[in-house]
Coordinates of all heavy atoms in Angstrom, one line a residue:
M1 N 57.3 136.2 30.1 CA 56.8 136.7 28.9 C 56.8 138.2 29.1 O 56.5 138.8 30.1 CB 55.4 136.3 28.6 CG 54.8 136.9 27.4 SD 53.2 136.2 26.9 CE 52.1 137.0 28.0
L2 N 57.3 138.9 28.0 CA 57.3 140.4 27.9 C 56.3 140.8 26.9 O 56.3 140.3 25.7 CB 58.7 140.8 27.5 CG 58.8 142.3 27.2 CD1 58.7 143.2 28.5 CD2 60.2 142.6 26.5
I3 N 55.5 141.8 27.2 CA 54.5 142.4 26.3 C 54.9 143.9 26.2 O 55.0 144.5 27.2 CB 53.1 142.2 26.7 CG1 52.7 140.8 26.9 CG2 52.1 142.9 25.8 CD1 51.4 140.5 27.5
E4 N 55.1 144.4 24.9 CA 55.5 145.8 24.7 C 54.7 146.4 23.6 O 54.5 145.8 22.6 CB 57.0 145.7 24.4 CG 57.6 147.1 24.2 CD 59.1 147.0 24.0 OE1 59.8 146.2 24.7 OE2 59.6 147.6 23.0
Q5 N 54.3 147.6 23.8 CA 53.7 148.4 22.7 C 54.8 148.9 21.8 O 55.8 149.4 22.2 CB 52.9 149.6 23.2 CG 51.5 149.2 23.8 CD 50.6 150.4 24.0 OE1 51.1 151.5 24.2 NE2 49.4 150.1 24.0
I6 N 54.5 148.8 20.5 CA 55.5 149.2 19.5 C 54.9 150.2 18.6 O 54.0 149.9 17.8 CB 56.0 148.0 18.7 CG1 56.7 147.0 19.6 CG2 56.9 148.4 17.6 CD1 57.0 145.7 19.0
P7 N 55.3 151.5 18.7 CA 54.7 152.6 17.9 C 55.2 152.4 16.4 O 56.4 152.2 16.2 CB 55.2 153.8 18.6 CG 56.4 153.5 19.3 CD 56.3 152.0 19.7
L8 N 54.2 152.6 15.5 CA 54.5 152.6 14.1 C 53.9 153.9 13.5 O 53.1 154.5 14.2 CB 54.0 151.4 13.4 CG 54.5 150.0 13.9 CD1 53.6 148.9 13.5 CD2 55.9 149.8 13.5
E9 N 54.3 154.3 12.3 CA 53.7 155.5 11.7 C 52.2 155.3 11.5 O 51.5 156.3 11.7 CB 54.4 155.7 10.4 CG 55.8 156.3 10.5 CD 56.4 156.7 9.2 OE1 55.6 157.0 8.2 OE2 57.6 156.6 9.1
N10 N 51.7 154.2 11.1 CA 50.3 154.0 10.8 C 49.5 153.5 12.0 O 48.3 153.1 11.8 CB 50.2 153.0 9.6 CG 50.7 153.6 8.3 OD1 50.6 154.8 8.1 ND2 51.3 152.8 7.5
G11 N 50.1 153.4 13.1 CA 49.4 152.8 14.3 C 50.3 152.3 15.3 O 51.5 152.7 15.4
C12 N 49.8 151.4 16.1 CA 50.6 150.8 17.2 C 50.5 149.2 17.1 O 49.4 148.7 16.7 CB 50.1 151.3 18.5 SG 51.2 150.9 19.9
A13 N 51.5 148.5 17.4 CA 51.5 147.1 17.4 C 51.9 146.6 18.8 O 52.3 147.3 19.6 CB 52.5 146.5 16.4
L14 N 51.7 145.3 19.0 CA 52.0 144.7 20.3 C 53.1 143.6 20.1 O 52.9 142.7 19.3 CB 50.7 144.0 20.8 CG 50.7 143.5 22.2 CD1 50.9 144.7 23.2 CD2 49.4 142.8 22.5
G15 N 54.2 143.8 20.8 CA 55.3 142.8 20.7 C 55.1 141.8 21.9 O 54.9 142.2 23.0
L16 N 55.3 140.6 21.5 CA 55.3 139.5 22.5 C 56.6 138.8 22.5 O 57.1 138.3 21.4 CB 54.2 138.5 22.2 CG 52.8 139.1 22.1 CD1 51.8 138.0 21.6 CD2 52.3 139.6 23.4
R17 N 57.3 138.6 23.6 CA 58.6 137.9 23.7 C 58.5 136.8 24.7 O 58.1 137.1 25.9 CB 59.6 139.0 24.1 CG 61.0 138.3 24.3 CD 62.0 139.4 24.8 NE 63.3 138.8 25.0 CZ 64.4 139.0 24.3 NH1 64.3 139.8 23.3 NH2 65.5 138.4 24.6
F18 N 58.8 135.6 24.3 CA 58.8 134.5 25.2 C 60.3 134.0 25.3 O 60.9 133.7 24.3 CB 58.0 133.3 24.7 CG 56.5 133.7 24.5 CD1 56.0 134.2 23.3 CD2 55.6 133.4 25.6 CE1 54.7 134.5 23.2 CE2 54.3 133.7 25.5 CZ 53.8 134.3 24.3
E19 N 60.8 133.9 26.5 CA 62.2 133.4 26.7 C 62.2 131.9 26.6 O 61.5 131.2 27.3 CB 62.7 133.9 28.0 CG 62.9 135.4 28.2 CD 63.9 136.0 27.2 OE1 64.8 135.3 26.7 OE2 63.7 137.1 26.8
M20 N 62.9 131.4 25.6 CA 63.0 130.0 25.4 C 64.4 129.6 26.0 O 65.0 130.4 26.7 CB 62.9 129.7 23.9 CG 61.7 130.2 23.3 SD 60.1 129.7 24.1 CE 59.8 128.2 23.2
Q21 N 64.9 128.4 25.7 CA 66.1 128.0 26.3 C 67.3 128.7 25.8 O 68.2 129.1 26.6 CB 66.3 126.5 26.1 CG 65.3 125.6 26.9 CD 65.5 124.2 26.6 OE1 66.0 123.7 25.6 NE2 65.1 123.4 27.6
K22 N 67.4 129.0 24.5 CA 68.6 129.7 24.0 C 68.3 131.0 23.3 O 69.1 131.9 23.4 CB 69.3 128.8 23.0 CG 69.9 127.5 23.6 CD 70.8 126.8 22.7 CE 71.3 125.6 23.5 NZ 72.4 125.0 22.9
Y23 N 67.2 131.1 22.6 CA 66.8 132.3 21.9 C 65.4 132.7 22.2 O 64.6 131.8 22.5 CB 67.0 132.1 20.4 CG 68.5 131.9 20.0 CD1 68.9 130.6 19.8 CD2 69.3 132.9 19.9 CE1 70.2 130.3 19.5 CE2 70.7 132.7 19.5 CZ 71.1 131.4 19.3 OH 72.4 131.1 19.0
P24 N 65.0 133.9 22.1 CA 63.6 134.3 22.3 C 62.7 134.0 21.2 O 63.1 133.9 20.0 CB 63.7 135.8 22.5 CG 64.9 136.2 21.7 CD 65.9 135.1 21.8
L25 N 61.5 133.7 21.5 CA 60.4 133.5 20.5 C 59.7 134.9 20.5 O 59.2 135.4 21.5 CB 59.4 132.4 20.9 CG 58.4 132.1 19.9 CD1 57.9 130.6 20.2 CD2 57.2 133.0 19.9
L26 N 59.7 135.5 19.3 CA 59.2 136.9 19.1 C 58.1 137.0 18.1 O 58.1 136.3 17.1 CB 60.3 137.8 18.6 CG 61.6 137.9 19.6 CD1 62.8 138.4 18.8 CD2 61.2 138.8 20.7
V27 N 57.1 137.8 18.4 CA 55.9 138.1 17.5 C 55.6 139.5 17.7 O 55.5 140.0 18.9 CB 54.7 137.2 17.9 CG1 53.5 137.6 17.0 CG2 55.0 135.7 17.7
I28 N 55.3 140.2 16.6 CA 54.8 141.6 16.7 C 53.4 141.5 16.0 O 53.3 141.1 14.8 CB 55.7 142.6 16.0 CG1 57.1 142.6 16.7 CG2 55.0 144.0 16.1 CD1 58.0 143.6 16.0
R29 N 52.4 141.8 16.7 CA 51.0 141.7 16.2 C 50.4 143.1 16.0 O 50.4 144.0 16.8 CB 50.1 141.0 17.3 CG 48.6 141.0 17.1 CD 48.3 140.0 15.9 NE 46.9 139.7 15.9 CZ 46.1 140.3 15.0 NH1 46.5 141.3 14.3 NH2 44.8 140.0 15.0
A30 N 49.8 143.3 14.8 CA 49.1 144.5 14.4 C 47.7 144.2 14.1 O 47.3 143.0 14.2 CB 49.8 145.2 13.2
E31 N 46.9 145.2 13.7 CA 45.5 144.9 13.5 C 45.2 143.9 12.4 O 44.3 143.1 12.5 CB 44.8 146.3 13.1 CG 43.3 146.2 12.9 CD 42.7 147.5 12.6 OE1 43.3 148.5 12.9 OE2 41.6 147.5 12.0
K32 N 46.0 143.9 11.3 CA 45.7 143.1 10.2 C 46.6 141.8 10.1 O 46.4 141.0 9.1 CB 45.8 143.9 8.9 CG 44.9 145.0 8.8 CD 45.1 145.8 7.5 CE 44.3 147.1 7.5 NZ 44.7 147.9 6.3
G33 N 47.5 141.7 10.9 CA 48.4 140.5 10.8 C 49.6 140.6 11.8 O 49.6 141.4 12.7
F34 N 50.6 139.7 11.6 CA 51.7 139.7 12.5 C 53.0 139.3 11.8 O 53.0 138.8 10.7 CB 51.4 138.7 13.6 CG 51.2 137.3 13.2 CD1 52.3 136.4 13.2 CD2 50.0 136.8 12.9 CE1 52.1 135.0 12.9 CE2 49.8 135.5 12.5 CZ 50.9 134.6 12.5
L35 N 54.1 139.7 12.5 CA 55.5 139.5 12.0 C 56.0 138.4 13.0 O 55.9 138.6 14.2 CB 56.3 140.7 12.1 CG 57.7 140.7 11.6 CD1 57.8 140.4 10.1 CD2 58.4 142.1 11.9
M36 N 56.6 137.3 12.5 CA 57.0 136.2 13.3 C 58.5 136.0 13.2 O 59.1 136.4 12.1 CB 56.3 134.9 13.0 CG 56.6 134.5 11.5 SD 55.9 132.8 11.2 CE 54.2 133.1 11.0
C37 N 59.1 135.4 14.2 CA 60.5 135.1 14.1 C 60.7 133.7 13.5 O 59.7 133.0 13.2 CB 61.2 135.2 15.5 SG 60.7 133.9 16.6
G38 N 61.9 133.2 13.4 CA 62.2 131.9 12.9 C 61.7 130.7 13.6 O 61.6 129.6 13.1
Y39 N 61.2 130.9 14.9 CA 60.7 129.7 15.6 C 59.3 129.3 15.0 O 58.9 128.1 15.2 CB 60.4 130.2 17.1 CG 61.5 129.8 18.1 CD1 62.2 130.8 18.7 CD2 61.8 128.5 18.3 CE1 63.2 130.5 19.6 CE2 62.7 128.1 19.3 CZ 63.4 129.1 19.9 OH 64.4 128.8 20.8
L40 N 58.6 130.2 14.4 CA 57.2 129.9 14.0 C 57.2 129.5 12.5 O 58.1 129.8 11.7 CB 56.4 131.1 14.3 CG 56.3 131.5 15.7 CD1 55.5 132.8 15.9 CD2 55.7 130.4 16.6
N41 N 56.1 128.8 12.1 CA 56.0 128.2 10.8 C 55.0 129.0 9.9 O 53.8 129.1 10.2 CB 55.4 126.8 11.1 CG 55.4 125.9 9.8 OD1 54.9 126.4 8.8 ND2 55.9 124.7 9.9
I42 N 55.5 129.5 8.8 CA 54.7 130.3 7.9 C 53.7 129.4 7.2 O 52.6 129.9 6.9 CB 55.6 131.0 6.9 CG1 54.8 132.2 6.2 CG2 56.1 130.1 5.8 CD1 54.8 133.4 7.1
S43 N 53.9 128.1 7.0 CA 53.0 127.2 6.4 C 51.7 127.0 7.3 O 50.6 127.0 6.8 CB 53.6 125.9 6.1 OG 54.6 126.0 5.2
A44 N 51.9 127.0 8.6 CA 50.8 126.9 9.5 C 50.0 128.1 9.5 O 48.8 128.1 9.5 CB 51.3 126.6 10.9
A45 N 50.6 129.3 9.5 CA 49.9 130.6 9.4 C 49.1 130.6 8.1 O 48.0 131.1 8.1 CB 50.9 131.7 9.5
E46 N 49.7 130.2 7.0 CA 49.0 130.2 5.7 C 47.8 129.3 5.8 O 46.7 129.6 5.4 CB 50.0 129.6 4.6 CG 49.4 129.5 3.3 CD 49.4 130.8 2.5 OE1 50.3 131.6 2.6 OE2 48.4 131.0 1.7
A47 N 47.9 128.1 6.3 CA 46.8 127.1 6.4 C 45.7 127.6 7.3 O 44.5 127.3 7.0 CB 47.3 125.8 7.0
L48 N 46.0 128.5 8.3 CA 45.0 129.0 9.2 C 44.4 130.3 8.6 O 43.5 130.9 9.3 CB 45.6 129.2 10.5 CG 46.0 127.9 11.3 CD1 46.8 128.3 12.5 CD2 44.8 127.1 11.6
G49 N 44.9 130.8 7.5 CA 44.3 132.0 6.9 C 44.8 133.3 7.5 O 44.2 134.3 7.3
D50 N 46.0 133.2 8.1 CA 46.5 134.4 8.8 C 47.4 135.3 7.8 O 48.0 134.7 6.9 CB 47.5 134.0 9.9 CG 46.7 133.6 11.2 OD1 45.5 134.1 11.3 OD2 47.2 132.8 11.9
T51 N 47.4 136.5 8.0 CA 48.3 137.5 7.4 C 49.6 137.5 8.2 O 49.5 138.0 9.3 CB 47.6 138.9 7.3 OG1 46.4 138.8 6.5 CG2 48.6 139.9 6.6
A52 N 50.6 137.0 7.6 CA 51.9 136.9 8.4 C 53.1 137.0 7.5 O 53.1 136.7 6.3 CB 52.0 135.5 9.1
A53 N 54.2 137.6 8.1 CA 55.5 137.7 7.5 C 56.5 137.1 8.5 O 56.3 137.2 9.7 CB 55.8 139.1 7.1
K54 N 57.6 136.6 7.9 CA 58.6 136.0 8.8 C 60.0 136.6 8.6 O 60.4 136.9 7.5 CB 58.7 134.5 8.4 CG 59.6 133.7 9.3 CD 59.5 132.2 8.9 CE 60.2 131.3 9.9 NZ 60.0 129.9 9.6
V55 N 60.7 136.8 9.7 CA 62.1 137.3 9.7 C 62.9 136.2 10.5 O 62.3 135.5 11.3 CB 62.2 138.7 10.3 CG1 61.5 139.7 9.5 CG2 61.7 138.7 11.7
K56 N 64.2 136.2 10.2 CA 65.0 135.2 10.9 C 66.3 135.9 11.5 O 66.7 137.0 11.1 CB 65.5 134.1 9.9 CG 64.4 133.2 9.5 CD 65.0 132.1 8.6 CE 64.0 131.1 8.2 NZ 64.5 130.0 7.4
G57 N 66.8 135.2 12.5 CA 68.1 135.7 13.1 C 67.9 136.9 14.0 O 68.8 137.8 14.0
V58 N 66.8 137.0 14.6 CA 66.5 138.2 15.4 C 66.6 137.9 16.9 O 66.3 136.8 17.4 CB 65.1 138.8 15.1 CG1 65.2 139.4 13.6 CG2 64.0 137.8 15.2
Q59 N 66.9 138.9 17.7 CA 67.0 138.8 19.2 C 66.0 139.7 19.9 O 65.8 139.5 21.1 CB 68.4 139.1 19.6 CG 69.5 138.2 19.1 CD 69.5 136.9 19.8 OE1 69.2 136.8 21.0 NE2 69.7 135.8 19.0
N60 N 65.5 140.7 19.2 CA 64.6 141.6 19.9 C 63.6 142.3 18.9 O 63.8 142.0 17.7 CB 65.4 142.7 20.7 CG 66.4 143.4 19.8 OD1 66.0 143.9 18.8 ND2 67.6 143.4 20.2
F61 N 62.7 143.1 19.3 CA 61.7 143.7 18.5 C 62.4 144.6 17.4 O 62.0 144.7 16.3 CB 60.7 144.4 19.3 CG 59.9 143.6 20.2 CD1 59.8 143.9 21.5 CD2 59.4 142.4 19.8 CE1 59.1 143.1 22.4 CE2 58.7 141.5 20.7 CZ 58.5 141.9 22.0
E62 N 63.4 145.4 17.9 CA 64.1 146.3 16.9 C 64.7 145.5 15.8 O 64.7 145.9 14.6 CB 65.1 147.2 17.7 CG 65.6 148.3 16.9 CD 64.5 149.3 16.4 OE1 63.6 149.5 17.1 OE2 64.7 149.8 15.3
D63 N 65.4 144.4 16.1 CA 65.9 143.5 15.1 C 64.8 143.1 14.1 O 65.1 143.1 12.9 CB 66.5 142.2 15.7 CG 67.8 142.4 16.4 OD1 68.4 143.5 16.4 OD2 68.2 141.5 17.1
M64 N 63.7 142.7 14.6 CA 62.6 142.3 13.8 C 62.2 143.4 12.8 O 61.9 143.1 11.6 CB 61.4 141.9 14.6 CG 61.6 140.6 15.4 SD 60.1 140.2 16.3 CE 59.1 139.4 15.0
L65 N 62.1 144.6 13.2 CA 61.7 145.7 12.4 C 62.8 146.1 11.3 O 62.4 146.5 10.2 CB 61.3 146.9 13.2 CG 60.2 146.7 14.2 CD1 60.0 147.9 15.1 CD2 58.9 146.4 13.4
K66 N 64.0 145.9 11.6 CA 65.1 146.2 10.7 C 65.5 145.1 9.7 O 66.0 145.4 8.7 CB 66.4 146.5 11.5 CG 66.3 147.8 12.3 CD 67.6 148.0 13.1 CE 67.6 149.3 13.9 NZ 68.8 149.5 14.7
T67 N 65.2 143.9 10.1 CA 65.6 142.7 9.3 C 64.7 142.5 8.1 O 63.5 142.9 8.1 CB 65.5 141.4 10.2 OG1 66.4 141.7 11.3 CG2 65.9 140.2 9.5
T68 N 65.2 141.9 7.1 CA 64.5 141.6 5.9 C 63.5 140.5 6.0 O 63.8 139.4 6.6 CB 65.5 141.2 4.8 OG1 66.4 142.3 4.6 CG2 64.8 141.0 3.4
V69 N 62.3 140.6 5.5 CA 61.3 139.6 5.5 C 61.7 138.5 4.5 O 62.1 138.7 3.4 CB 59.9 140.2 5.0 CG1 58.9 139.1 4.8 CG2 59.4 141.2 6.0
V70 N 61.6 137.2 5.0 CA 62.1 136.1 4.2 C 61.0 135.2 3.7 O 61.1 134.4 2.7 CB 63.1 135.2 5.0 CG1 64.4 136.0 5.2 CG2 62.6 134.7 6.2
E71 N 59.8 135.3 4.3 CA 58.6 134.5 3.9 C 57.4 135.3 4.2 O 57.3 136.0 5.2 CB 58.5 133.2 4.6 CG 59.6 132.1 4.3 CD 59.4 130.8 5.0 OE1 58.6 130.0 4.5 OE2 59.9 130.7 6.1
V72 N 56.3 135.1 3.4 CA 55.0 135.7 3.6 C 53.9 134.8 3.3 O 54.1 133.9 2.4 CB 54.8 137.0 2.8 CG1 55.9 138.1 3.2 CG2 54.8 136.8 1.3
T73 N 52.8 134.9 3.9 CA 51.6 134.2 3.5 C 50.9 134.9 2.3 O 51.2 136.1 2.1 CB 50.5 134.1 4.6 OG1 50.1 135.4 5.0 CG2 51.1 133.4 5.8
K74 N 50.1 134.2 1.6 CA 49.4 134.8 0.4 C 48.5 136.0 0.9 O 48.4 137.0 0.2 CB 48.6 133.8 -0.4 CG 47.4 133.3 0.3 CD 46.6 132.4 -0.7 CE 45.4 131.9 0.0 NZ 44.6 131.0 -0.9
F75 N 48.0 135.9 2.1 CA 47.2 137.0 2.6 C 48.0 138.2 2.9 O 47.5 139.3 2.7 CB 46.5 136.5 3.9 CG 45.8 135.2 3.7 CD1 46.4 134.0 4.1 CD2 44.6 135.1 3.0 CE1 45.8 132.8 3.9 CE2 44.0 133.9 2.8 CZ 44.6 132.7 3.2
A76 N 49.3 138.1 3.3 CA 50.2 139.2 3.5 C 50.5 139.8 2.1 O 50.5 141.0 1.9 CB 51.5 138.8 4.2
G77 N 50.7 138.9 1.1 CA 51.0 139.4 -0.2 C 49.8 140.2 -0.8 O 50.1 141.2 -1.5
E78 N 48.6 139.9 -0.4 CA 47.5 140.7 -0.8 C 47.5 142.1 -0.2 O 46.8 143.0 -0.8 CB 46.2 140.0 -0.5 CG 45.9 138.7 -1.3 CD 44.8 137.8 -0.8 OE1 44.1 138.2 0.2 OE2 44.6 136.8 -1.4
L79 N 48.2 142.3 0.9 CA 48.3 143.6 1.5 C 49.5 144.4 0.9 O 49.8 145.5 1.3 CB 48.5 143.6 3.0 CG 47.3 143.1 3.8 CD1 47.6 143.1 5.3 CD2 46.1 144.1 3.6
G80 N 50.3 143.7 0.0 CA 51.4 144.4 -0.6 C 52.7 144.1 0.1 O 53.8 144.7 -0.2
I81 N 52.7 143.1 1.0 CA 53.9 142.7 1.8 C 54.7 141.7 0.9 O 54.1 140.7 0.4 CB 53.5 142.1 3.1 CG1 52.8 143.2 3.9 CG2 54.7 141.6 3.9 CD1 52.0 142.6 5.1
E82 N 56.0 142.0 0.8 CA 56.8 141.2 -0.1 C 58.1 140.7 0.6 O 58.6 141.4 1.5 CB 57.2 142.0 -1.4 CG 56.0 142.4 -2.2 CD 56.4 143.3 -3.3 OE1 57.6 143.8 -3.4 OE2 55.6 143.6 -4.2
I83 N 58.6 139.6 0.1 CA 59.9 139.1 0.6 C 60.9 140.2 0.2 O 60.9 140.8 -0.9 CB 60.3 137.8 -0.1 CG1 59.3 136.7 0.5 CG2 61.7 137.4 0.1 CD1 59.4 135.4 -0.3
G84 N 61.8 140.6 1.1 CA 62.9 141.5 0.8 C 62.6 142.9 1.5 O 63.5 143.7 1.6
M85 N 61.3 143.2 1.8 CA 61.1 144.5 2.5 C 61.5 144.3 4.0 O 61.7 143.2 4.4 CB 59.6 144.9 2.3 CG 58.6 144.1 3.0 SD 56.9 144.7 2.8 CE 56.8 145.6 1.4
T86 N 61.6 145.4 4.7 CA 62.0 145.3 6.1 C 60.7 144.9 6.9 O 59.6 145.0 6.5 CB 62.5 146.6 6.7 OG1 61.4 147.6 6.6 CG2 63.7 147.1 5.9
G87 N 61.0 144.4 8.1 CA 59.9 144.0 9.0 C 59.0 145.3 9.3 O 57.8 145.2 9.4
R88 N 59.7 146.4 9.4 CA 58.9 147.7 9.7 C 58.0 148.0 8.5 O 56.8 148.3 8.7 CB 59.9 148.8 9.9 CG 59.1 150.1 10.2 CD 60.0 151.3 10.6 NE 60.7 151.1 11.8 CZ 60.2 151.2 13.0 NH1 59.0 151.6 13.2 NH2 61.0 151.0 14.1
E89 N 58.5 147.8 7.3 CA 57.6 148.1 6.1 C 56.4 147.1 6.1 O 55.3 147.5 5.8 CB 58.4 148.0 4.8 CG 59.5 149.0 4.7 CD 60.4 148.8 3.5 OE1 60.8 147.6 3.3 OE2 60.8 149.7 2.9
A90 N 56.7 145.9 6.5 CA 55.6 144.9 6.5 C 54.6 145.3 7.6 O 53.4 145.2 7.4 CB 56.2 143.5 6.8
M91 N 55.1 145.7 8.8 CA 54.2 146.0 9.9 C 53.3 147.2 9.6 O 52.2 147.3 9.9 CB 55.0 146.2 11.2 CG 55.6 145.0 11.8 SD 54.4 143.6 12.0 CE 53.2 144.3 13.0
E92 N 53.9 148.2 8.9 CA 53.1 149.4 8.5 C 51.9 149.0 7.6 O 50.9 149.6 7.8 CB 54.0 150.4 7.8 CG 55.1 151.0 8.7 CD 54.6 152.0 9.8 OE1 53.4 152.3 9.8 OE2 55.4 152.4 10.6
K93 N 52.1 148.0 6.8 CA 51.0 147.6 5.9 C 50.0 146.8 6.7 O 48.9 146.6 6.3 CB 51.5 146.8 4.8 CG 52.4 147.6 3.8 CD 52.8 146.8 2.6 CE 53.6 147.7 1.6 NZ 52.8 148.6 0.9
M94 N 50.4 146.3 7.9 CA 49.4 145.5 8.7 C 48.7 146.3 9.7 O 47.8 145.8 10.4 CB 50.2 144.4 9.4 CG 50.7 143.3 8.5 SD 51.5 142.0 9.5 CE 52.7 141.4 8.4
C95 N 49.0 147.6 9.8 CA 48.3 148.5 10.8 C 46.9 148.9 10.3 O 46.7 148.9 9.1 CB 49.1 149.7 11.1 SG 50.5 149.4 12.2

């Protein structure tokens, strides 16, 4: 497992990388929520009341920040996070 601090304009986030068999499982966690890769389930995050956004097809934290958000929980939506914004834009709203 790799843990890395990720500086953002509005604060700092924590990146977690787990090496799986073929692709990494990636999460970037900020104060108000997290950005997840395609391994994780947005419906589960929604049911648990989490503020979360999802990106797909990523290999590292930089990919996550550059890639377009494809799903969000309603709690993320309440922070102004929308499908189509970049992962970085979503993370800035979660700081």
Side-chain angles (χ1 to χ4, degrees):
M1 179 173 75
L2 171 72
I3 301 171
E4 181 178 315
Q5 282 193 336
I6 299 172
L8 300 166
E9 285 184 31
N10 294 325
C12 192
L14 190 64
L16 304 171
R17 178 185 176 109
F18 298 91
E19 293 300 331
M20 307 304 272
Q21 291 179 333
K22 294 190 179 198
Y23 297 97
L25 186 154
L26 300 161
V27 175
I28 301 176
R29 172 74 167 97
E31 183 178 337
K32 298 177 188 173
F34 62 95
L35 185 64
M36 64 172 74
C37 74
Y39 263 116
L40 301 175
N41 186 311
I42 200 81
S43 297
E46 177 84 34
L48 294 169
D50 284 331
T51 298
K54 185 175 189 174
V55 294
K56 289 185 175 180
V58 295
Q59 295 288 323
N60 55 54
F61 301 130
E62 192 58 36
D63 287 350
M64 292 183 77
L65 297 174
K66 290 179 180 177
T67 301
T68 302
V69 170
V70 296
E71 291 182 89
V72 300
T73 63
K74 71 177 182 178
F75 309 102
E78 290 170 1
L79 289 180
I81 299 166
E82 301 175 348
I83 293 170
M85 66 177 28
T86 66
R88 181 174 297 279
E89 291 169 324
M91 289 308 303
E92 293 291 353
K93 293 183 179 288
M94 291 186 210
C95 285

